[in-house]
Amino acid sequence: MVSSEQVIQSLQPHIEGYKSTMSAISFGNRRYIRLWPVLILLSIALLLVWRNLQQAHKIAKIGAHKSEVSLSNDSRRKSYLEYEKPPKITRRVESPRTKELRQLLKCRDRSLRFQRLQHGEYWLLQNLVIGRKSRLVGCAESVTYTTNGDYTFFDNLETVVTRWRAPVSFAIHTPGYDLSTTLDAIRYVRNCLPESELIQDWVTFHVYFSNRHIPEFVPFEEAEVLGQPLICSLANGSLAPPPYTLVPRNESYKVMANLTYPINVGRNIARQAVNTHFIFACDIELYPSLGFVDQFLDMVANNHSVLALDPKQPRRVYPLPVFEIETGVEIPANKAELLALYGNKQAQVFHMKLCSTCHMIPNQEAWLNQTSSQKDHQLHVFSKTLRKKKFGAWEPFYVSDNTEPLFDERVTWEGQSNKRIQNFAMCLLGYEYHVLDPAFLVHSPGIKEFSKKDSSRLQYAKEMTKFIKAKIEPEYRVLFGQNKGCRT
């Protein structure tokens, strides 16, 4: 196979000869005047080829480095054949609550199985690695936390699972050699962390990549991922460093190939792969208060009126207030601990310094002042609103029945507004937002402030805003209806 360096060297004599020919041609010679347009086009073509080869060579160097620390494809395929699958976990006997909810929701159980699928321009390995307990969960038995990211977000997974303790559907963007790092990361979090047992039980991993950036190695099945050798401890007995910390973000294939992050593709993939009636579409850096899943299911079972069971009723979703806390502060387990941090000015509403209206909830001050100990354990609907007027820019994270519009996949993380468009569609459809109490979300510690990283996204955001106004918004008003009170 010819390397990019060999191609560059082979082109060098032609480029030098071309330069000599150009210098020998005189502008005053009529004989060559007609050749100039051709020569100019040839110059541009050679320049583009040269630049592409240089970029390919740059990416190839990183890929070569990765291959030095990875097993060959053949050895991978050989070693996984010896992998022994763990024993299956028996499906639990349905509780009275599950039986009641199944009858109420009229839902059907769905099996989780590995599939290779096309998702627009992306190839998707859906349910590549399935959570042992998640595989057996019934449709009315739990709530699935659906999320997305790339290998650089794996450091949040242990905290999410420890607090959620229920199914998690995780869609991971893995173009090119980022897939190799991701597979190493999956094996690591399932085997080397203090809470690896919980991750094995509950997290189901999906990977996807553009058909223009297909990895050289793609696993055929779950056993091929889990059957590879893994080292959790170093020779001195200390914990081996996580694979997702060994390849800096700026050396990832995504960055080297100058790709944007298709955040809404990941969100939709994670949503569409679940086997529960209720989902919680959330960002992986947002951590839920403890005990939420049982609290929510108890609320629904004890008070059927919180659901829109009549088709004539407006559709509804159930947002959780979102907060951020200072670096170094312990993540609050319940509302009492959250309010203590809030009172000490160690916690605030999420994105308060970036977009004060984006995560403001209806009757927010009353929510913050309600400290009844009885309701600290019983979830209830605190307030409700439409996404209009002062809440026209709201970007809530909510529990739903997974029938709300999908996220628009033309919008990237860099372009911002990636959640806002979906909420615009829901406004046009008349969705109600029933805010819950005392449950909440906390972003991974650190108060968000405007940074140079945010300023680099401004150009993307400016162009995306134009596209939304000119293209997406008119489409949505045709598809979902007219309502002057709704805005993107």
Side-chain angles (χ1 to χ4, degrees):
M1 181 177 177
V2 179
S3 68
S4 58
E5 289 181 327
Q6 291 173 321
V7 175
I8 293 172
Q9 291 174 359
S10 67
L11 282 174
Q12 194 67 38
H14 298 286
I15 294 173
E16 294 300 327
Y18 171 70
K19 289 179 180 178
S20 301
T21 303
M22 291 291 291
S23 63
I25 298 175
S26 170
F27 274 102
N29 191 335
R30 290 176 172 269
R31 179 179 177 183
Y32 294 105
I33 288 177
R34 294 182 180 180
L35 291 176
W36 278 105
V38 176
L39 294 173
I40 291 173
L41 290 174
L42 180 60
S43 300
I44 295 172
L46 283 172
L47 179 61
L48 291 173
V49 170
W50 182 265
R51 290 182 62 183
N52 287 341
L53 286 172
Q54 293 279 33
Q55 180 70 6
H57 178 59
K58 186 177 181 182
I59 292 177
K61 287 176 66 178
I62 300 263
H65 173 70
K66 286 289 295 177
S67 65
E68 290 176 1
V69 295
S70 300
L71 292 171
S72 69
N73 292 356
D74 289 342
S75 62
R76 283 176 180 268
R77 297 250 150 84
K78 182 179 179 181
S79 64
Y80 97 87
L81 293 175
E82 302 172 358
Y83 173 69
E84 293 185 7
K85 294 183 179 180
K88 291 184 177 180
I89 297 176
T90 305
R91 182 185 290 274
R92 296 181 297 280
V93 177
E94 286 192 345
S95 67
R97 183 185 70 186
T98 298
K99 291 178 180 178
E100 179 182 354
L101 290 177
R102 181 189 296 277
Q103 185 176 3
L104 178 70
L105 301 172
K106 296 180 173 58
C107 64
R108 294 183 178 180
D109 291 342
R110 174 186 172 188
S111 62
L112 298 180
R113 60 188 180 89
F114 171 63
Q115 296 184 83
R116 296 179 190 85
L117 303 172
Q118 282 185 299
H119 187 103
E121 71 171 76
Y122 296 92
W123 278 107
L124 163 63
L125 305 184
Q126 182 176 279
N127 299 320
L128 177 60
V129 175
I130 302 174
R132 295 178 301 188
K133 291 184 178 179
S134 293
R135 186 191 301 271
L136 303 173
V137 164
C139 65
E141 186 180 345
S142 194
V143 182
T144 301
Y145 181 108
T146 69
T147 192
N148 68 97
D150 57 30
Y151 70 83
T152 64
F153 287 89
F154 268 70
D155 57 338
N156 297 283
L157 191 58
E158 187 176 27
T159 303
V160 168
V161 178
T162 302
R163 298 173 73 88
W164 189 251
R165 293 179 180 266
V168 174
S169 177
F170 186 15
I172 310 156
H173 183 223
T174 59
Y177 56 72
D178 287 352
L179 176 59
S180 178
T181 306
T182 300
L183 298 181
D184 289 339
I186 291 173
R187 287 187 284 270
Y188 186 91
V189 297
R190 283 177 53 93
N191 293 281
C192 303
L193 299 177
E195 300 296 345
S196 284
E197 283 287 326
L198 283 177
I199 293 174
Q200 288 185 35
D201 284 344
W202 295 118
V203 183
T204 297
F205 298 89
H206 327 280
V207 301
Y208 67 100
F209 40 83
S210 169
N211 55 29
R212 296 192 295 270
H213 301 278
I214 295 181
E216 290 187 4
F217 167 80
V218 175
F220 289 164
E221 58 179 332
E222 180 182 75
E224 193 169 358
V225 179
L226 303 183
Q228 302 304 322
L230 177 72
I231 299 176
C232 290
S233 300
L234 301 177
N236 60 8
S238 61
L239 184 66
Y244 40 88
T245 65
L246 299 179
V247 182
R249 187 187 298 268
N250 60 2
E251 292 183 8
S252 68
Y253 182 95
K254 171 188 170 294
V255 172
M256 297 296 292
N258 197 30
L259 304 179
T260 55
Y261 175 49
I263 185 170
N264 283 349
V265 175
R267 282 173 170 154
N268 289 338
I269 286 171
R271 278 181 57 182
Q272 293 170 321
V274 302
N275 60 351
T276 58
H277 179 84
F278 291 114
I279 67 163
F280 184 42
C282 198
D283 288 353
I284 197 169
E285 293 177 296
L286 296 177
Y287 309 148
S289 51
L290 299 186
F292 174 76
V293 173
D294 279 330
Q295 290 174 356
F296 181 82
L297 295 176
D298 284 343
M299 177 187 72
V300 174
N302 295 333
N303 182 7
H304 299 175
S305 66
V306 300
L307 300 178
L309 297 174
D310 187 341
K312 296 180 181 179
Q313 290 179 284
R315 309 311 301 164
R316 61 186 65 170
V317 292
Y318 308 89
L320 275 66
V322 189
F323 296 85
E324 56 190 357
I325 59 178
E326 290 184 350
T327 302
V329 174
E330 186 175 350
I331 303 168
N334 52 47
K335 186 175 180 180
E337 293 182 7
L338 172 69
L339 293 181
L341 294 177
Y342 190 85
N344 293 332
K345 300 187 183 303
Q346 293 177 296
Q348 64 181 29
V349 174
F350 187 45
H351 278 179
M352 179 60 68
K353 296 183 179 180
L354 297 179
C355 179
S356 60
T357 60
C358 290
H359 294 280
M360 176 179 63
I361 64 169
N363 299 327
Q364 182 169 284
E365 288 304 315
W367 191 96
L368 290 166
N369 290 328
Q370 183 164 302
T371 58
S372 170
S373 59
Q374 181 181 2
K375 291 185 177 179
D376 281 347
H377 303 288
Q378 295 180 358
L379 195 68
H380 64 282
V381 174
F382 175 78
S383 61
K384 64 180 181 179
T385 190
L386 300 175
R387 190 180 176 274
K388 294 182 178 180
K389 298 180 180 179
K390 64 185 296 185
F391 299 103
W394 196 14
E395 299 180 356
F397 293 90
Y398 50 77
V399 176
S400 75
D401 61 6
N402 207 7
T403 60
E404 73 275 17
L406 291 173
F407 295 94
D408 198 304
E409 297 184 359
R410 293 170 289 184
V411 183
T412 63
W413 176 83
E414 291 79 5
Q416 300 180 344
S417 299
N418 42 72
K419 279 179 59 65
R420 192 173 297 179
I421 298 169
Q422 188 220 26
N423 283 277
F424 171 61
M426 293 168 66
C427 178
L428 295 173
L429 291 170
Y431 268 77
E432 294 178 348
Y433 294 79
H434 292 227
V435 179
L436 300 177
D437 178 70
F440 59 88
L441 294 169
V442 175
H443 193 274
S444 70
I447 301 297
K448 290 280 187 178
E449 297 184 5
F450 190 80
S451 65
K452 291 183 179 180
K453 183 178 179 180
D454 295 312
S455 63
S456 67
R457 296 173 63 189
L458 291 180
Q459 186 58 37
Y460 281 107
K462 185 177 179 181
E463 294 174 359
M464 184 56 67
T465 298
K466 290 181 180 178
F467 177 72
I468 290 170
K469 292 295 183 183
K471 180 68 174 173
I472 295 180
E473 188 171 321
E475 287 181 2
Y476 277 38
R477 292 193 183 278
V478 171
L479 292 167
F480 299 110
Q482 297 288 338
N483 190 324
K484 293 183 180 179
C486 302
R487 64 184 178 92
T488 54

